[in-house]
Amino acid sequence: MCGRYTLFTPPEELETRFDATPTRPLSARYNCAPGQELPVVTNDAPEEFRFLKWGLVPSWADSASVGNDRINARAETVREKRSFADAYEARRCLVPSDGFYEWVDRGGRKQPYRVAFEDARPFAMAGLWERWTPSTKQTGLGDFGSGGPSREQEPLETFTVVTTEPNDLVSELHHRMAVVLAPEDEQTWLHGDPDEAAALLDTYPDDELTAYPVSTRVNSPANDGPDLIERVEA
């Protein structure tokens, strides 16, 4: 799976790399976690970094809480599973990152590792996004009966990261990994037809990647700082 990642590449480098301008300032993030609003590039606004909440809430959901269980979508079933099928067809996105974390069981102790490109370059993970509109609530007398004025609620925009089988490097850490897109494939993921997009859901080779142990401080989403990506003894 992909449950945490980093994005601390300087904003100007990210803007150049993805040819996108943020809708609000980008800040260095060393512990991006589910439930947080994070920058993504959506297919309907590829010129922008928009901030969406991590944890996809389908448009038909009764509650936003369903996003807690939908931080990842399996590549093998993403076209068929009800939670993700509509988004796969029409709402794909790029999730910028410069590394992700995985945890290894060391005799009952979970040791986090960070996986990144050896040259530290940013990359895009394949993602899906959705827009969910909460049920309209009545205000005033409408709270107790019919006929009162309604209060429109803001739509919630969310995303999920697509995962696939791991390469040899990541398989030592976990049985899944994020779908990492080659730069030349990013526009096809955003704008290609479903079959073209499906052809990109392969395992990224490990010949340019590295993995190393980091502090268990990354276990808590409350911790966020450059010390989290420093190598430690496993």
Side-chain angles (χ1 to χ4, degrees), residues 92-217:
R92 298 183 217 119
C93 65
L94 307 178
V95 183
S97 173
D98 42 37
F100 55 87
Y101 297 106
E102 297 294 355
W103 280 258
V104 177
D105 190 346
R106 301 294 192 201
R109 178 179 63 89
K110 293 288 189 178
Q111 173 61 57
Y113 281 73
R114 181 169 179 262
V115 181
F117 279 94
E118 292 178 343
D119 62 2
R121 68 180 183 266
F123 56 91
M125 299 182 291
L128 310 174
W129 70 279
E130 268 287 9
R131 181 180 291 115
W132 177 75
T133 302
S135 299
T136 302
K137 292 184 178 180
Q138 299 292 320
T139 61
L141 293 176
D143 290 333
F144 306 97
S146 61
S150 63
R151 175 169 58 86
E152 293 294 331
Q153 296 193 72
E154 289 293 323
L156 175 66
E157 294 185 326
T158 60
F159 75 95
T160 189
V161 175
V162 183
T163 66
T164 188
E165 294 291 323
N167 57 34
D168 289 343
L169 176 71
V170 179
S171 67
E172 297 294 322
L173 311 175
H174 201 273
H175 63 278
R176 303 291 293 177
M177 70 175 286
V179 172
V180 176
L181 297 168
E184 62 270 21
D185 293 332
E186 291 169 3
Q187 291 305 307
T188 300
W189 175 253
L190 286 180
H191 306 297
D193 65 38
D195 289 336
E196 291 172 328
L200 306 179
L201 297 177
D202 289 331
T203 301
Y204 198 89
D206 62 2
D207 52 347
E208 298 177 279
L209 297 172
T210 185
Y212 61 91
V214 295
S215 170
T216 55
R217 279 175 42 77

Side-chain angles (χ1 to χ4, degrees), residues 24-142:
R24 65 187 194 222
L26 294 167
S27 58
R29 301 295 302 273
Y30 299 88
N31 198 6
C32 299
Q36 297 175 349
E37 289 190 348
L38 300 164
V40 301
V41 176
T42 59
N43 61 331
D44 67 335
E47 72 285 355
E48 295 179 340
F49 289 110
R50 298 169 57 202
F51 288 77
L52 277 59
K53 185 178 179 180
W54 187 6
L56 189 136
V57 181
S59 60
W60 45 261
D62 293 328
S63 168
S65 64
V66 303
N68 298 336
D69 298 323
R70 292 168 173 81
I71 66 170
N72 291 156
R74 292 176 64 91
E76 297 86 345
T77 58
V78 70
R79 301 183 73 173
E80 294 82 29
K81 194 168 183 179
R82 185 185 179 211
S83 295
F84 307 118
D86 287 348
Y88 177 82
E89 290 286 328
R91 289 174 293 279
R92 298 183 217 119
C93 65
L94 307 178
V95 183
S97 173
D98 42 37
F100 55 87
Y101 297 106
E102 297 294 355
W103 280 258
V104 177
D105 190 346
R106 301 294 192 201
R109 178 179 63 89
K110 293 288 189 178
Q111 173 61 57
Y113 281 73
R114 181 169 179 262
V115 181
F117 279 94
E118 292 178 343
D119 62 2
R121 68 180 183 266
F123 56 91
M125 299 182 291
L128 310 174
W129 70 279
E130 268 287 9
R131 181 180 291 115
W132 177 75
T133 302
S135 299
T136 302
K137 292 184 178 180
Q138 299 292 320
T139 61
L141 293 176

